[in-house]
Amino acid sequence: MRRLASWLLDSGPVIVLALIAGAGSFSHVRKTAVDHGQTGWMAWAVAVCVDLTCVMAARERQRDKETGRKRTGPLTWPTFVLVAGIVLSLAANLHQAEPSVWGWLTAGTPAAAFLIAVSILERRATGPRPEPSPAMAVPESVTSAPVLLPVPDDDQGDGAEPSPSLLDYARRVADEHHAKHGKPITLDLLRARLGVSGQLASDLLRHLRTA
């Protein structure tokens, strides 16, 4: 309940602003469509298409940021669609305005407010997320490597030399890490990748460094 109340106080005003601004813009686009021959349900369809296109484009921009998709030009396709939709909505609003400065400002307010609300919601949805520390990172899988079961703690720390197969596997893990990250693998990462105790990981790392 407390979380819901916090969400309403935080995001409620922005959502209400987006709905009111979208409704105002919708009304202007529909009237403009009627004035230019799109009567009946077609006028409503035109207005819905313009507003939903803006919402879809804003959501696609969020998805691009979440997936790390790289830009292939000065403007991404979702950004272009969002700008085009806002410009079209603004043009319809100004078309319905009284031919004066204040008339244009007041008529353009819904489109501007809708753009601001969408941008704020987009900014919140794509906020920075804390990255896990190296010690808590999930170990990466090693391709084409045999699956080794963790060595029981009773068999570790007795001064015995690591088995050749385990040493060979550890060497492949260390080589892959160095090739990918450009630096030697740490003791904690090697232990996590192999699923062995700290003592055995230390012995393996010592053999790798002296080899």
Side-chain angles (χ1 to χ4, degrees), residues 16-139:
V16 171
L17 172 63
L19 292 176
I20 293 176
S25 178
F26 178 91
S27 177
H28 285 151
V29 173
R30 186 186 64 80
K31 289 180 181 178
T32 301
V34 171
D35 292 344
H36 292 80
Q38 302 300 318
T39 58
W41 69 271
M42 276 301 300
W44 290 83
V46 170
V48 169
C49 288
V50 173
D51 286 347
L52 284 188
T53 296
C54 294
V55 174
M56 264 192 328
R59 181 66 189 96
E60 195 64 21
R61 279 168 48 89
Q62 295 176 15
R63 188 175 288 108
D64 286 351
K65 293 180 181 179
E66 292 170 357
T67 58
R69 187 169 184 173
K70 296 182 179 179
R71 295 172 54 179
T72 57
L75 273 182
T76 62
W77 174 243
T79 301
F80 174 79
V81 172
L82 177 61
V83 172
I86 293 297
V87 169
L88 184 60
S89 177
L90 182 60
N93 292 350
L94 296 180
H95 178 75
Q96 297 296 325
E98 174 187 301
S100 65
V101 174
W102 279 111
W104 293 327
L105 287 176
T106 54
T109 297
F114 182 71
L115 176 60
I116 291 172
V118 169
S119 64
I120 290 177
L121 292 174
E122 176 185 358
R123 182 174 180 269
R124 292 183 178 181
T126 56
R129 296 179 176 86
E131 297 183 357
S133 61
M136 299 297 294
V138 178

Side-chain angles (χ1 to χ4, degrees), residues 159-167 200 203-207:
E161 292 292 322
S163 65
S165 59
L166 181 58
L167 185 58
L200 183 54
D203 293 339
L204 289 168
L205 193 59
R206 175 172 53 83
H207 279 78

Side-chain angles (χ1 to χ4, degrees), residues 171-184:
R171 183 175 292 107
R172 277 185 287 167
V173 171
D175 291 342
E176 183 189 46
H177 178 86
H178 190 278
K180 185 174 183 179
H181 301 283
K183 58 184 178 181

